[in-house]
Amino acid sequence: MLEKLIQRRSLCLGRQKATFRAHALDHLKSQIGAGAVAVLITPNAPIAFDRGLRACHMTSAWDFYKPIGKLSTEYPTVDGPVSLQSYMIALDGCYRSYKEKVLRISEQNISLSSFSAAMFHSPFTRMVQKALARLSYRDYECGASACDSLYSKLGTLAASSFEDREVMKCLLKGSEELWKNKTCPYLELNRRIGNMYTPSLFAQLVAYIASGHSDELNRILFFAYGSGSAAAMFSATLNVSSSVYQRMMEISRRAIARLGERHICTPDQYTDALKMREEFLASDVPIIPKGNSTGQSTSTLFPGTYFLKMVDERYLRVYDCTPLPKTAQNHLNGFINGTPGGSSDIA
């Protein structure tokens, strides 16, 4: 029985999109995006999450939510200041608890220098940089930072002090090297796609794998966050010498290369697409998406992409798929990140 459990595999999926009303696009454009991530969980994986080293922080906060009832809408209600504050409070709570667990389990005092990279939930990249700077200061408080001479001028910071521009400027300066080496290089997908919610964290892992980076640590720190709010911090150790990891490196590089194949649209075209979706959601069934009848839905999709074909009178959704080239139909995996072929040992 134990052997069967060990051999089991599972697939974890996460997807989200961030859209806002047209009048809000100007000041929220850095937070618009959509993405999905699929993670295969299997024995002997080249990326192993550190057992027992997970810290969580949860609280009730009305920072980002979608009203229901007569006010029902797919667009969120956002309280920007509360959202930023909730993120940072959760970050502090998770990091403190994570370090306590490491000390209890491994009898080690860890800091950001204990990791090859630090990755964060990314609404926008400036938020990530501030999060890293905050953790850098927390390391200083514990005597584990190389920025003593700079941070000592700040004294002990209260929670509200982090909102001070001069304080944050000092923290960003002090964590500059950490930012350049451990976080900034792995935000390429986030910068080019935008806010993906759940996938925003794992997009950084894809970029890290694609970079081919390897050092004596091969360990990554992750901070996941969801408004409301719920957050978790955990870590993983990488076996970069395994053949599977090398294959993952190839696939990750192809995924990034595919960004160059996207179709560019104007802000007006994007706004028109939002209006089309609003009209679709407000329509009675049965209904066929307007983009299907014009060919707009399928003309810009990658081969093998599933799309909504119609919603019938019973609200059942019918999907179709854009055709695959014959060269891809002969392979179990079809397209692997846009490239035909490949073996079926990696999902």
Side-chain angles (χ1 to χ4, degrees), residues 67-94:
I68 59 174
K70 292 183 179 180
L71 299 177
S72 182
T73 171
E74 73 162 341
Y75 299 116
T77 295
V78 184
D79 188 328
V82 174
S83 185
L84 298 178
Q85 184 183 49
S86 298
Y87 182 105
M88 292 302 180
I89 290 174
L91 178 69
D92 275 346
C94 283

Side-chain angles (χ1 to χ4, degrees), residues 4-298:
K4 289 183 178 180
L5 286 174
I6 293 175
Q7 292 177 352
R8 283 184 178 178
R9 296 184 176 189
S10 60
L11 188 66
C12 180
L13 299 174
R15 48 78 55 193
Q16 258 295 3
K17 62 180 177 63
T19 55
F20 300 91
R21 294 186 185 278
H23 65 76
L25 293 182
D26 287 341
H27 67 279
L28 291 173
K29 60 185 178 181
S30 64
Q31 299 184 48
I32 298 170
V37 60
V39 180
L40 178 64
I41 302 173
T42 180
N44 304 315
I47 301 175
F49 292 102
D50 300 328
R51 179 175 293 184
L53 299 182
R54 182 181 67 253
C56 298
H57 179 94
M58 297 188 185
T59 188
S60 178
W62 291 88
D63 60 327
F64 186 105
Y65 59 96
K66 293 183 179 181
I68 59 174
K70 292 183 179 180
L71 299 177
S72 182
T73 171
E74 73 162 341
Y75 299 116
T77 295
V78 184
D79 188 328
V82 174
S83 185
L84 298 178
Q85 184 183 49
S86 298
Y87 182 105
M88 292 302 180
I89 290 174
L91 178 69
D92 275 346
C94 283
Y95 195 47
R96 180 174 59 253
S97 181
Y98 177 86
K99 294 177 77 170
E100 289 172 354
K101 284 192 174 184
V102 173
L103 182 60
R104 184 172 67 250
I105 294 173
S106 305
E107 297 183 350
Q108 294 179 337
N109 289 304
I110 59 100
S111 66
L112 290 173
S113 62
S114 306
F115 302 93
S116 306
M119 301 175 183
F120 302 81
H121 171 73
S122 176
F124 49 93
T125 55
R126 187 65 169 176
M127 182 78 162
V128 172
Q129 187 174 8
K130 289 182 177 180
L132 182 74
R134 192 175 180 113
L135 294 192
S136 174
Y137 180 79
R138 295 308 183 201
D139 284 346
Y140 160 75
E141 289 182 315
C142 298
S145 172
C147 305
D148 291 3
S149 59
L150 187 61
Y151 289 169
S152 60
K153 302 174 183 177
L154 298 175
T156 302
L157 295 181
S160 59
S161 300
F162 290 96
E163 300 173 13
D164 184 279
R165 286 180 178 271
E166 291 304 314
V167 169
M168 183 51 66
K169 185 177 179 180
C170 180
L171 296 180
L172 292 173
K173 179 66 176 177
S175 59
E176 202 169 41
E177 287 303 310
L178 287 171
W179 170 248
K180 289 180 180 179
N181 296 325
K182 296 184 182 293
T183 302
C184 183
Y186 314 118
L187 287 165
E188 181 175 1
L189 287 161
N190 303 79
R191 290 192 180 96
R192 298 176 66 181
I193 296 176
N195 186 4
M196 297 174 280
Y197 293 122
T198 300
S200 73
L201 178 64
F202 293 96
Q204 294 163 60
L205 178 59
V206 170
Y208 181 92
I209 295 171
S211 73
H213 179 85
S214 177
D215 55 28
E216 69 279 3
L217 299 172
N218 289 324
R219 193 179 183 197
I220 299 176
L221 181 69
F222 298 90
F223 173 67
Y225 177 82
S227 293
S229 66
M233 184 169 284
F234 49 95
S235 55
T237 302
L238 282 57
N239 180 5
V240 299
S241 62
S242 75
S243 59
V244 176
Y245 189 88
Q246 296 301 311
R247 181 76 173 121
M248 292 171 66
M249 193 185 303
E250 296 174 14
I251 294 172
S252 297
R253 288 170 179 170
R254 290 175 189 160
I256 294 175
R258 288 187 77 188
L259 293 179
E261 301 174 23
R262 295 180 297 175
H263 292 261
I264 298 174
C265 69
T266 65
D268 288 341
Q269 289 174 316
Y270 182 81
T271 301
D272 289 342
L274 290 180
K275 290 179 179 177
M276 187 186 299
R277 179 171 172 80
E278 289 174 8
E279 293 170 0
F280 173 78
L281 294 175
S283 300
D284 294 328
V285 293
I287 182 173
I288 297 175
K290 186 184 295 184
N292 289 0
S293 58
T294 62
Q296 185 177 345
S297 293
T298 58

